[in-house]
Amino acid sequence: MSNKDNLHLQVALVQSPIKWEDPQGNRSFFGQKIDQVKEKVDLIILPEMFSTGFTMSPENIHEKEGDITLQWMQKMAQKRDCAVTGSMVYKEENHYYNRLFFVFPNGHYESYDKRHTFTLAGEHKKYTKGTKKCIVEYKGFKICPLICYDLRFPVWSRNTKDVDLLLYVANWPAPRVNAWDALLKARAIENMVYCIGVNRVGKDNEGHLYTGHSGIYDPLGERIGFSEKDETLVRTLDKAILNKYREKLRFLEDRDIFTIH
C-alpha cells in the first residue's frame, strides 16, 4: 500500500442548536460540545454562523466579535490538536461577510467567503458575497469548504482541482431538508469525493425550524453517517477507498472543462 492510500481523516460533526445573536454564549456552548468529544479527531466541523445563528441583522453583532470568535477557534484547535472549521458573521472594511475559517492545529488559518448569498432571506442585501474558492490541504486530504446555499450550485462545487472532500456548513431549514439530503449525495457522486454536510437543529428567533440531517457520503453516494438530533457524529474517512473508486471508475477523467467568471 502506498503512502497516499495509508491516510485517514477522523472528523467530528457538531450538530446542535445555536443561541440567537449571542457570540459569547455560543462560544461557551460549543466549547463544552468540543470538550465532550472523547475521540482523538483530526477535524471538528461547526455549523454555519455558529456564533450567532443565521441573522440578517449583522449590525446587531459587535464588529470585534468576528476576531474574538476566530481567536476562540484557534484556542480550541490548539487545545485539541486538530483543525476546527465553521462560519460566522465577520466585518471587514465596512462590509459584512458570511466567512468560514479553517483553523489548523498550530493556529494558522485559511478563509472562505460564502459565494452564493441566500436571496430568499435577503442575505445578499446584508452580506458581501465571496469571489474565490478555498482549497485546504490537510493530513493528506484536499478539502473544499463551502457554505449552505452553495450546495445548490453544482458548477461552483465542481471538482476541477482533484479535491477529496467537499464540506458544507449550513443553517438549512426543515421544509427543504429533502433537497439538502439529495444534493449532498449528488455532490459526492458527481465529483467522486467524500461529501460532508453539517447542519443545526432547533428553532431560531425568526421561527425557522432546523432538523439537522448532518451527513457524510462516500464517493459512490453511500451514507456513512447521519443524524437528526442534538449530537456530535464522529466518523473516519479513508483515502484508500477514495483512490480505489477513482482508479477503478475514472469518471473524473471524462469531466467537462470550463471556466467560472
Side-chain angles (χ1 to χ4, degrees):
M1 180 179 288
S2 66
N3 288 334
K4 73 173 184 175
D5 287 331
N6 192 25
L7 296 170
H8 297 85
L9 192 71
Q10 183 129 301
V11 296
L13 287 62
V14 184
Q15 177 172 274
S16 69
I18 300 174
K19 302 175 188 295
W20 189 252
E21 295 182 354
D22 183 3
Q24 183 176 352
N26 282 308
R27 287 191 294 268
S28 176
F29 176 71
F30 280 103
Q32 293 173 16
K33 288 282 187 182
I34 290 171
D35 286 343
Q36 290 167 4
V37 178
K38 302 304 181 186
E39 297 89 342
K40 176 65 176 78
V41 297
D42 301 303
L43 173 60
I44 294 172
I45 310 166
L46 307 176
E48 178 185 22
M49 288 193 181
F50 69 88
S51 62
T52 60
F54 191 59
T55 177
M56 292 303 102
S57 300
E59 64 276 5
N60 291 346
I61 311 303
H62 195 283
E63 63 182 36
K64 292 184 179 180
E65 286 292 348
D67 285 328
I68 292 171
T69 299
L70 173 58
Q71 291 165 10
W72 172 86
M73 293 176 74
Q74 291 172 313
K75 180 181 177 181
M76 292 296 104
Q78 292 168 338
K79 177 180 179 181
R80 292 301 304 252
D81 190 29
C82 72
V84 178
T85 191
S87 88
M88 68 181 75
V89 176
Y90 196 89
K91 188 175 184 180
E92 184 176 72
E93 297 181 352
N94 294 318
H95 290 272
Y96 290 106
Y97 297 90
N98 185 345
R99 180 167 292 177
L100 176 145
F101 288 96
F102 190 103
V103 180
F104 296 90
N106 63 6
H108 294 165
Y109 63 85
E110 297 188 35
S111 64
Y112 166 72
D113 293 329
K114 188 176 182 180
R115 162 79 170 188
H116 299 93
T117 47
F118 189 43
T119 52
L120 188 61
E123 187 180 12
H124 63 299
K125 298 177 182 179
K126 294 287 189 173
Y127 296 88
T128 300
K129 74 175 184 177
T131 58
K132 297 179 180 179
K133 291 174 76 170
C134 173
I135 307 296
V136 176
E137 297 196 24
Y138 178 60
K139 298 266 185 179
F141 285 74
K142 292 181 73 171
I143 302 169
C144 179
L146 298 163
I147 303 174
C148 202
Y149 194 41
D150 287 331
L151 180 61
R152 287 187 177 271
F153 301 92
V155 171
W156 188 243
S157 299
R158 189 65 174 141
N159 188 7
T160 59
K161 302 291 185 180
D162 294 321
V163 166
D164 303 307
L165 168 62
L166 286 174
L167 191 164
Y168 298 88
V169 301
N171 277 207
W172 196 288
R176 296 182 294 279
V177 78
N178 183 58
W180 163 262
D181 293 339
L183 292 173
L184 286 172
K185 183 175 183 177
R187 295 295 89 85
I189 294 169
E190 69 195 9
N191 292 296
M192 293 215 76
V193 293
Y194 285 106
C195 185
I196 292 177
V198 179
N199 197 18
R200 61 161 293 179
V201 292
K203 186 176 286 189
D204 68 18
N205 276 36
E206 300 296 323
H208 300 298
L209 177 65
Y210 303 88
T211 53
H213 285 228
S214 293
I216 307 171
Y217 297 81
D218 78 7
L220 297 186
E222 294 294 328
R223 194 159 63 187
I224 57 178
F226 179 78
S227 177
E228 296 178 289
K229 61 184 181 180
D230 181 354
E231 67 172 330
T232 298
L233 281 178
V234 176
R235 296 290 187 275
T236 300
L237 310 185
D238 187 339
K239 189 72 172 287
I241 292 175
L242 181 67
N243 290 332
K244 181 185 73 172
Y245 289 144
R246 286 181 173 176
E247 290 168 7
K248 179 181 179 180
L249 301 174
R250 299 186 179 276
F251 295 148
L252 290 178
E253 295 178 11
D254 298 323
R255 61 193 163 193
D256 297 309
I257 304 301
F258 58 83
T259 301
I260 300 174
H261 299 286

